[in-house]
């Protein structure tokens, strides 16, 4: 990594997440010199693998890619990171609307008509989402209408049974990490459109967003990427101020370090980008946008057992529950390791309420939930770890920036439009799989391409 | 004003708005030494009087106080700032729901039943608001329910005529400066409760929030307050970082200047408070709160004429319109001056759309509106000026912080609870007339009292 004394570059990139490092690498490839300033002591941003015992890395952050994540498959291949498929043999366990705990087959036969309702609603969403231009959602023919109410209000108006409505809430919150009552319906449609269709977004199996994992952990991706551009990354360098002219930026970091360049790419979430001081100050529309894009509330909790005992009982390790505290789970065992690892998701309200309990209380409540689904063996993990992203100073919430009502239609153009020599990246600004790693790469490449075009 | 070399104090106050200076003065009175760091080149924050021609100061920011603003009346008296009553002789002019322009008497007789609907809804609001504890709105018996939908959704559900619904929207946006579809119903009730009842909040005449103005302009208040504590204020000193321990703060400003104290009071709007770096970092609940309290969108536009010609025609200078672009106006003539000054409000959507037009287009649209109400003379002002608060770097929106759904109930306690040695002020944290100057004083006094109790 470079020393602070050499802080001159063509392009100063703020943030060594996947988006910023992708941008930096592309700039390098075009013969431009990038300098990536990272506030944290590590690269990777919302990707964070933690080895909790030898050979057992767990993903506190981004974990999966899906079949249509072509940029990520390409990147992994280039970096020599191998992939493996998500385990999905066996049944999901359900616990919904006072039905008690039910195995998937039982659940499906008991709630056949409710699941048909759900399928119809998802089809309806696909039809509506098809009309949202991902580059400019505010230009959709019905944008003003759709941006005036919430996804939750639209769901409520579909006349659904409690089972269908709750399933819809659970799978949507599983993506957006805020209650649907906080999400603009236009933003839900935008999210669906950037991912293709609902079956890709929500499905856990073929075609979905969560089919594939990385050998060694997701952090292999940012770590190897960082190794390729190590001379151009400085860690522990929080940016406080960006001075900009018609052809230059001067970036001031905590501690007085200064970096100079011809362009800047700010590759952090919009709410964090809004915390940087800009001189001259940015236009009101950009500033008020960043006030209106709060990061979601997400937390992951991992239980590590001596073996994946649920598999023997015919379970795939996935649970879906409206009792909780976790609404969903996954089998996240590792290839070549005998441990059983189960991941519980706390998102939206659950992250907020359960995330603020003492760890022991949270662990106890989650253990009880696992025991309901998988029996007494679930009560005896070898290891437990969890992580809530709003506590992390340089992230402050996951998975991404939420758009409430009116944000897209009144502030939308300010999300990606460069301001003078300052460009914007991060997955929150992507038009393909926004909020995913794929979107981070998409956004980083887009910002880099724009800068390259300007400087060549 | 002090020189940067003397930056030691008992209490470092961030922000020389009314709240911060009130706190500083109270601290001084208790024998503690405050140091107020102001990012801007002036004091006053959201109070900003601009003399547009000799003897014609107009209020780009806070303008009025109301009969129950006891702290402000006391402060004005102490500072020797005289007050005068808002002009309210004559009729309001209406333009609603394709009725064309109507004088108040005509409007009232044509829409008598609609106005009765409105009065009933306001009564209903008063009854509900009575159940909201202003110190902790999230503890209201129906808090979870009320915080799950918007004020707009509640209005929509009242079965109102278009006239009553539009009037309700206009008067509410006139207070909150965001469309009611963005406001939690619980927050509307909280706002009403901090002000007493709807008749005080919405009324322009007796008992209302806008009965009284200040001779010389509202800025007389912060300017004279600043003069009293001039040795304790530093301008042009944006705070970037607050390091804090169990008994001290070290505050770092742009340019490397450092201020040390035993406590800090951060007296700026929550969204701006969230942009400061804190070391150690603040808890996630506080951080995500500040991501979820965007400032409103407000703009004032002033037309100055040779005389208040509308008065002769029996108008009070107030218009109420759902055509716009301005939804409301006021006669803001000055005592002892012959000019006619009319103020047009652009709030919420109007501030966003109209505020982004070139000034000439905005002025033209507003002129056309005035001509519709007051005739051809309105087309020939001597002077025009406007100001949109999101463009101002150290304010970034008015009138105050908006609480969307779920903010109060999931993040509420973090709004005012001190974190270690860091206390929070600004009108957005007040429990009496929050969002008003009265609230700024209330919050400043509350924070100062807490600090005094800790340090004595």
């Amino acid at each position: 990594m470079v020393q602070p004394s050499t802080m001159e570059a063509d392009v100063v990139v703020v943030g060594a997440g996947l988006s910023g490092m992708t941008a930096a690498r592309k700039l390098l490839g075009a013969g431009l010199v990038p300098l990536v300033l990272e506030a944290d002591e590590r690269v990777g941003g919302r990707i964070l693998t933690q080895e909790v015992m030898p050979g057992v890395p767990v993903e506190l952050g981004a974990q999966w890619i899906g079949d249509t994540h072509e940029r990520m498959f390409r990147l992994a291949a280039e970096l020599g990171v191998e992939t493996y498929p998500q385990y999905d043999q066996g049944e999901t366990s359900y616990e919904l609307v006072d039905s008690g705990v039910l195995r998937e087959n039982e659940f499906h036969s008991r709630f056949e008509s409710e699941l048909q309702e759900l399928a119809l609603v998802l089809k309806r969403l696909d039809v509506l989402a098809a009309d949202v231009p991902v580059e400019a959602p505010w230009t959709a023919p019905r944008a003003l209408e759709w941006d005036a109410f919430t996804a939750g209000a639209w769901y409520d108006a579909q006349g659904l049974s409690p089972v269908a409505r709750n399933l819809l809430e659970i799978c949507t919150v599983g993506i957006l990490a805020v209650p649907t009552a906080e999400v603009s319906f236009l933003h839900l449609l935008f999210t669906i459109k950037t991912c293709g269709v609902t079956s890709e977004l929500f499905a856990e199996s073929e075609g979905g967003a969560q089919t594939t994992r990385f050998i060694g952990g997701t952090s292999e991706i940012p770590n190897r990427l960082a190794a390729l551009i190590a001379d151009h990354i400085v860690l522990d360098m929080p940016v406080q101020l960006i001075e900009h002219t018609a052809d230059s930026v001067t970036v001031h970091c905590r501690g007085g370090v200064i970096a100079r360049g011809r362009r800047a790419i700010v590759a952090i979430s919009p709410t964090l980008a809004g915390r940087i001081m800009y001189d001259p100050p940015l236009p009101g529309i950009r500033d008020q946008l960043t006030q209106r894009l709060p990061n979601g509330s997400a937390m992951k909790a991992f239980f590590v057992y001596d073996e994946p005992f649920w598999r023997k009982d015919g379970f795939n390790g996935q649970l879906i529950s409206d009792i909780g505290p976790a609404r969903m789970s996954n089998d996240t065992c590792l290839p070549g390791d005998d441990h059983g690892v189960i991941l519980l998701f706390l998102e939206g309200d659950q992250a907020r309420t359960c995330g603020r309990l003492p760890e022991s209380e949270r662990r106890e409540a989650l253990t009880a939930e696992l025991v309901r689904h998988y029996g007494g063996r679930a009560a005896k993990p070898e290891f437990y770890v969890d992580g809530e992203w709003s506590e992390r100073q340089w992230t402050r919430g996951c998975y991404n920036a939420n758009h409430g009502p009116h944000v897209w239609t009144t502030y939308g153009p300010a999300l990606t439009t460069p301001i003078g020599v300052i460009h914007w990246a991060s997955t929150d600004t992507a038009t393909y799989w926004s909020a995913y790693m794929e979107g981070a790469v998409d956004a980083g490449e887009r910002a880099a391409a724009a800068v390259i075009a300007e400087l060549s």
Side-chain angles (χ1 to χ4, degrees), chain A:
Chain A
M1 309 263 162
V2 288
Q3 292 307 307
S5 56
T6 61
M7 305 282 267
E8 293 273 348
D10 291 313
V11 185
V12 180
V13 178
V14 181
L18 195 49
S19 206
M21 290 198 293
T22 296
R25 187 164 172 241
K26 194 176 165 90
L27 293 165
L28 261 182
L32 293 169
V33 179
L35 176 66
V36 185
L37 305 176
E38 169 55 46
D40 212 337
E41 292 163 342
R42 62 172 182 86
V43 301
R46 289 170 258 185
I47 298 168
L48 178 55
T49 307
Q50 187 176 315
E51 192 160 28
V52 296
M53 44 180 73
V56 186
V58 303
E59 306 296 350
L60 293 172
Q63 183 154 351
W64 291 275
I65 57 174
D67 294 355
T68 62
H69 296 192
E70 53 197 71
R71 290 166 188 77
M72 285 302 295
F73 275 105
R74 195 166 50 226
L75 182 60
E78 283 169 18
L79 297 172
V81 179
E82 290 181 75
T83 62
Y84 64 99
Q86 167 65 29
Y87 181 82
D88 71 345
Q89 304 301 306
E91 294 181 83
T92 298
S93 182
Y94 289 83
E95 184 182 38
L96 277 171
V97 195
D98 304 326
S99 67
V101 174
L102 297 176
R103 296 180 77 103
E104 181 168 331
N105 283 336
E106 199 180 353
F107 181 81
H108 276 237
S109 62
R110 195 188 293 189
F111 296 109
E112 199 182 337
S113 70
E114 286 85 350
L115 291 168
Q116 281 170 357
E117 285 175 53
L118 182 64
L120 276 175
V121 169
L122 295 178
K123 274 222 164 72
R124 227 172 283 160
L125 285 172
D126 287 336
V127 170
L128 299 178
D131 282 341
V132 178
V134 292
E135 306 280 349
W138 57 92
T139 64
R142 296 170 66 186
L144 284 173
E145 177 194 344
W146 290 338
D147 207 26
F149 53 83
T150 63
W154 190 86
Y155 288 168
D156 289 342
Q158 302 307 302
L160 297 171
S161 63
V163 165
R165 177 66 183 87
N166 287 6
L167 281 172
L168 207 46
E169 185 73 17
I170 290 168
C171 67
T172 313
V173 175
I175 304 295
L176 300 171
V178 290
T180 63
E182 297 176 22
V183 180
S184 158
F185 184 59
L186 178 62
H187 185 59
L188 173 65
L189 296 177
F190 164 82
T191 304
I192 292 168
K193 184 71 180 297
T194 75
C195 303
V197 288
T198 51
S199 61
E200 295 193 13
L201 184 60
F202 295 133
E204 297 244 329
S205 47
E206 322 121 57
Q210 303 194 168
T211 62
T212 304
R213 298 179 58 193
F214 299 104
I215 300 279
T218 314
S219 282
E220 285 295 305
I221 299 284
N223 290 346
R224 293 189 190 199
L225 198 46
L228 291 181
I229 57 172
D231 290 347
H232 303 276
I233 302 178
V234 193
L235 299 179
D236 208 7
M237 198 55 67
V239 169
Q240 293 184 307
L241 165 67
I242 299 180
E243 296 172 321
H244 53 115
T245 70
D247 57 6
S248 73
V249 292
T250 305
V251 180
H252 298 252
C253 302
R254 180 175 172 185
V257 174
I258 291 173
R260 290 193 174 82
R262 298 153 70 197
R263 292 291 183 280
I265 295 176
V266 178
I268 54 181
S269 64
T271 193
L272 298 185
R275 293 175 176 184
I276 294 172
M277 219 173 264
Y278 299 86
D279 187 0
L282 302 188
I285 181 175
R286 168 73 197 178
D287 193 278
Q288 285 217 331
L289 172 80
T290 65
Q291 295 179 37
R292 283 163 171 77
L293 290 179
N295 287 334
S297 306
M299 179 166 202
K300 295 169 88 177
F302 292 85
F303 287 78
V304 182
Y305 300 94
D306 56 349
E307 60 169 346
F309 56 87
W310 54 89
R311 292 183 178 182
K312 290 183 203 158
D313 298 326
F315 288 113
N316 60 16
Q318 294 175 36
L319 68 82
I320 293 183
S321 170
D322 61 9
I323 293 176
R327 297 297 191 234
M328 295 199 292
S329 73
N330 266 108
D331 176 315
T332 64
C333 298
L334 296 149
D337 179 88
D338 293 335
H339 287 96
V341 187
I342 205 149
L343 154 60
L344 292 158
F345 291 97
L346 296 164
E347 293 151 328
D349 266 351
Q350 281 65 45
R352 294 169 189 167
T353 52
C354 205
R356 292 177 199 151
L357 297 174
E359 187 189 291
S360 60
E361 281 180 48
R362 182 167 54 246
R363 177 178 168 165
E364 196 176 326
L366 290 171
T367 302
E369 182 173 12
L370 286 174
V371 167
R372 292 200 302 275
H373 288 271
Y374 303 125
R377 287 192 66 181
K380 299 182 194 70
E382 291 185 5
F383 191 83
Y384 171 86
V385 65
D386 61 32
E388 206 281 298
W389 283 90
S390 76
E391 298 294 338
R392 291 191 171 265
Q393 183 182 15
W394 307 118
T395 306
R396 289 306 192 183
C398 274
Y399 305 110
N400 70 320
N402 181 49
H403 293 239
H406 294 184
V407 176
W408 271 122
T409 48
T410 51
Y411 297 98
L415 182 62
T416 56
T417 309
I419 295 174
V421 293
I422 305 173
H423 293 248
W424 312 106
S426 92
T427 192
D428 315 273
T429 70
T431 56
Y432 186 70
W433 285 97
S434 178
Y436 289 80
M437 289 185 274
E438 182 76 3
V441 176
D442 174 52
E445 288 180 343
R446 188 241 321 128
V451 167
I452 291 165
E454 286 179 13
L455 294 183
S456 52

